[in-house]
Amino acid sequence: MKILLAFDGSPSSDAAAREVCRRPWPPGSEVRVITVLSPVEPNLLGGEGEHATAFDYIISRQEGAATKRLNAVTADVAQRAPELGVTSALLAGRPKDAILSEAERWGADLIVVGAHGYGVIRRFFLGSVSLAVALHAPCSVEIVRVT
């Protein structure tokens, strides 16, 4: 079985990782842990010159933090569920699109994501990654809530 675990460092994605680790999976099962870097508009800082340097610095810091989180959760899953083959990938793009694309490309049987639990208003403005994944995934989806 191929399990795609989408991880963003939130308490809900921590819960999703724990859920993947606690389950008995069929022999030979694999987990692919992914983190998605959302695009940042360079013009937010006003264009070129010293602002471009600030933009590069922000992107570099964001990538470094995401890589660190991804490596930590990948190592944790590998330690807590040694029977699983564990790989990871740092992706870029809109999270819902990147998760769906990776699930299709990798041939996932199951996508596991956390639910942030946004209210109706916040979900309207921010969107819901877990809802979009559930509605459009090429495979089964499990949404893990923090209670």
Side-chain angles (χ1 to χ4, degrees), residues 10-121:
S10 68
S12 61
S13 65
D14 285 336
R18 285 192 303 275
E19 185 62 26
V20 167
C21 292
R22 78 168 192 83
R23 292 237 179 110
W25 298 102
S29 291
E30 303 172 61
V31 175
R32 183 155 180 84
V33 184
I34 62 168
T35 292
V36 182
L37 285 174
S38 297
V40 177
E41 177 57 45
N43 292 329
L44 286 176
L45 295 175
E48 300 180 22
E50 65 189 58
H51 296 297
T53 303
F55 176 76
D56 292 339
Y57 176 75
I58 290 168
I59 296 300
S60 173
R61 293 284 302 230
Q62 182 186 31
E63 267 186 52
T67 299
K68 187 175 181 179
R69 281 193 315 270
L70 180 62
N71 290 342
V73 73
T74 301
D76 186 55
V77 169
Q79 179 186 5
R80 293 172 66 193
E83 70 283 0
L84 295 172
V86 183
T87 59
S88 64
L90 181 62
L91 307 174
R94 293 179 51 209
K96 51 188 143 192
D97 297 334
I99 293 167
L100 292 168
S101 293
E102 184 65 7
E104 191 160 329
R105 187 200 67 72
W106 189 57
D109 299 304
L110 174 67
I111 301 171
V112 181
V113 295
H116 285 281
Y118 294 143
V120 174
I121 302 296

